Amino acid sequence: MNRTPTPEAFGQDPWKARIDRVFARALVLPLLLALGLLALLLGDTLYRSVSVQVVRADMGPGHTYPFGLSAETILRQELLAQGYTEEEAAFMLQDPKERNALFLQNRVELMWNTHEGPFRYVVTNVYDERVADFSLAEGLRRWNELKANLQEGERLVLNPWLDQTFLTRPPSRSPLTAGIGVAIWGTVWVLSLALFFAIPVGIGTAILLEEYLREGRLSRILEVNLRNLAGVPSIVYGLLGLALFVRGMGLGPSVLAAALTLGLLGIPVIVVTAREALRAVPDSLRLAAFALGATQRQVVFRVVVPAALPGMVTGVILSAARLIGEAAPLLLVGAAAYVPFAPTGPLSQYTVIPVQIYLWISQNQPEFARVAAAGILVMLLLLSALYLMALYLRNRFRREW
């Protein structure tokens, strides 16, 4: 008959074993507390990204439109309701300049509920006035009361601030028409150029230190400094970028200056993770390649680097996830407060998602806090996608040596 061995069978004090079990269970409490706080913050952000509003239209009766219509059809009907003729409406929708101005000043968005029914489109103009703004719980509780007290030209909507138009629209002075599209493109430009500079330097440095440089005082000094650089606050890199790239090299507050600054910030992280990936490759592969007559260059670039590539890619993605959330260094090197158009080149002005969120939060109008909550959700979605990609690549290409 099999019996589970007890601590007494191995000469272990049962009280010490009980204390060890209690201590092990107590270590779970900080983890549960951290997960609970993260869930609370995420729930609060989701809650703030939806509100009930009463909006007065600047022009027109403030109609809503049924689900399924195209944005062009809705704008045509809105122009006709404002008193334009069919010819004038057709010209404004066909002429490129008039059409662009029309879509910039008007936002066609799908509301979850309106005073005329659920899931209907509304046209929000940049000059529309917010009459009242309520939290989700209070707005739903007072929905019938607010609906009964609507005046002419007013509409009642259950507004999800994060929708498709929010992801494509440029920023605006009005929170009702503000979007994060320009900030997304600015983030893509800055992050792409930063990784373009950081990946070759970081991986090349890791290969040099791990495969070519012999153990000695120089290698130890470089390793200690790289690990220290990985922990330097990002604001210090911002000061360096301001002095070196913005003023010293005369790049000004451009995409290139921001990318070089973030590239410096990402290099230490890439070096550390790439070195760990190279160290994980067993020496038996190197020795086997040398035994077959391969040179050191062939061993490094045809055997070691391909074997360590999954770990390197994971480290690059994790570095990109860190860089995409940096705001302090970019504020120092000149991220613009208001950029109405996406960057067109390395020397263009720019803004990025974290800077745009910071600027929205600093505004006096309370609706900008809800716009910022929608921006935070976009940021969390991007970070989650990067972390999931890193997790997938690590599990998909992991090798057991």
Side-chain angles (χ1 to χ4, degrees), residues 145-165:
E145 174 190 350
L146 296 172
K147 181 178 178 180
N149 294 328
L150 287 178
Q151 304 297 321
E152 184 178 357
E154 295 180 352
R155 59 177 178 267
L156 175 65
V157 295
L158 176 59
N159 185 8
W161 292 88
L162 177 57
D163 59 2
Q164 180 182 358
T165 59

Side-chain angles (χ1 to χ4, degrees), residues 146-191:
L146 296 172
K147 181 178 178 180
N149 294 328
L150 287 178
Q151 304 297 321
E152 184 178 357
E154 295 180 352
R155 59 177 178 267
L156 175 65
V157 295
L158 176 59
N159 185 8
W161 292 88
L162 177 57
D163 59 2
Q164 180 182 358
T165 59
F166 178 77
L167 300 176
T168 56
R169 286 194 59 82
S172 174
R173 305 292 183 183
S174 170
L176 297 177
T177 56
I180 203 171
V182 172
I184 291 177
W185 281 112
T187 301
V188 171
W189 268 93
V190 172
L191 185 62

Side-chain angles (χ1 to χ4, degrees), residues 199-345:
I199 291 175
V201 176
I203 293 181
T205 303
I207 293 174
L208 174 65
L209 294 175
E210 201 63 31
E211 299 296 330
Y212 287 95
L213 197 62
R214 294 181 179 179
E215 289 288 338
R217 180 178 299 178
L218 178 60
S219 63
R220 288 195 298 269
I221 292 175
L222 291 176
E223 183 174 358
V224 170
N225 281 282
L226 283 170
R227 291 187 180 275
N228 289 336
L229 287 174
V232 170
S234 60
I235 192 72
V236 176
Y237 287 94
L239 293 171
L240 176 62
L242 177 63
L244 180 60
F245 303 127
V246 177
R247 296 179 179 175
M249 298 177 60
L251 296 177
S254 62
V255 171
L256 185 58
L260 289 172
T261 303
L262 288 187
L264 291 178
L265 179 60
I267 285 174
V269 180
I270 294 177
V271 171
V272 172
T273 55
R275 291 191 69 186
E276 294 298 331
L278 291 171
R279 287 174 182 172
V281 179
D283 289 335
S284 59
L285 291 181
R286 297 177 175 87
L287 296 176
F290 281 125
L292 293 174
T295 63
Q296 185 166 5
R297 178 185 60 82
Q298 292 173 329
V299 171
V300 171
F301 291 99
R302 296 187 181 183
V303 177
V304 178
V305 172
L309 192 60
M312 292 181 178
V313 172
T314 301
V316 169
I317 294 175
L318 294 178
S319 177
R322 179 191 176 184
L323 297 181
I324 202 174
E326 292 291 345
L330 298 184
L331 287 173
L332 281 177
V333 297
Y338 178 76
V339 181
F341 301 104
T344 56

